[in-house]
Each structure stands twice: as structure tokens, then as C-alpha cells.
Amino acid sequence: AAPARYKALTRIRLRVAPHKFADLVTPTYEIQQGQEFRVVHAEEDEDEKNLLWLRTSQESGGAWFLERGIIGKFAGKKLARRVAGSLEPTKKGPAVMQISEV
């Protein structure tokens, strides 16, 4: 899920922390429908493990939003789609195959 580039499928309001009761970012920063942005971190919701919080890069507000909507016409649907081919390697480095003695 992260780090990668995403495209908003609807307007997304950002929160200061990965919690549904966290304050909205002020001054209000919203990602507009169709806007592409970078996600740098993903974290499971504390209460509902099937919900995923995504953190945007600083250039896109540096705040959090739920991957799926919880109310309205986007309830249960993804709010953003990952741009194909944009998944970036993690800082762990490339996979290394270890060969043991035979």
C-alpha cells in the first residue's frame, strides 16, 4: 500500500492522526477528486482491523485518511486508487537469497 502514488476517486478530508476521532487538518486541507498524491505510510485502524489508514507525503498535507469510506455513497468503497507501477521499494533493501552449505 505504501509508499506509492494514489489518485483520489472523491474529495478526501485529512486528519491529524490515524484515528476516526482525530481532528481534521486545519486550515482544512482536502485532496480533490482526480488529484494524484503520494502515500508514505499505512497503518491498521486500532478498532477495526479491516480498515487501513494511509498517510500522505508532506507535499500533500502530511496527514491521514481512511482507505475506505465509512459513510455516504463511498461507505465501504475505496476513496483512492493506487497508480499502476508506482509502488516504491521499502528501505529494507532488495531481497537477498541465502545459500547454505550442502
Side-chain angles (χ1 to χ4, degrees):
R5 290 202 64 77
Y6 281 75
K7 184 174 185 176
L9 301 175
T10 186
R11 180 181 60 135
I12 301 171
R13 296 181 76 186
L14 301 174
R15 297 192 176 275
V16 296
H19 195 276
K20 56 188 159 197
F21 297 117
D23 291 334
L24 293 171
V25 173
T26 55
T28 304
Y29 182 88
E30 296 176 344
I31 295 174
Q32 299 302 315
Q33 182 176 358
Q35 180 180 342
E36 286 193 15
F37 58 96
R38 188 166 176 262
V39 168
V40 295
H41 185 70
E43 191 173 303
E44 281 186 345
D45 185 69
E46 293 176 354
D47 302 324
E48 297 182 46
K49 297 301 178 192
N50 62 335
L51 291 176
L52 189 65
W53 286 94
L54 300 176
R55 184 175 187 158
T56 64
S57 65
Q58 289 299 325
E59 65 193 28
S60 298
W64 298 86
F65 72 95
L66 276 171
E67 178 185 38
R68 296 182 183 274
I70 53 174
I71 60 171
K73 70 178 186 176
F74 273 89
K77 297 179 184 175
K78 288 192 174 196
L79 301 178
R81 178 182 72 227
R82 191 174 70 221
V83 175
S86 71
L87 192 60
E88 300 170 14
T90 61
K91 294 185 180 190
K92 294 178 184 174
V96 177
M97 185 170 79
Q98 188 174 26
I99 300 174
S100 61
E101 252 182 70
V102 187

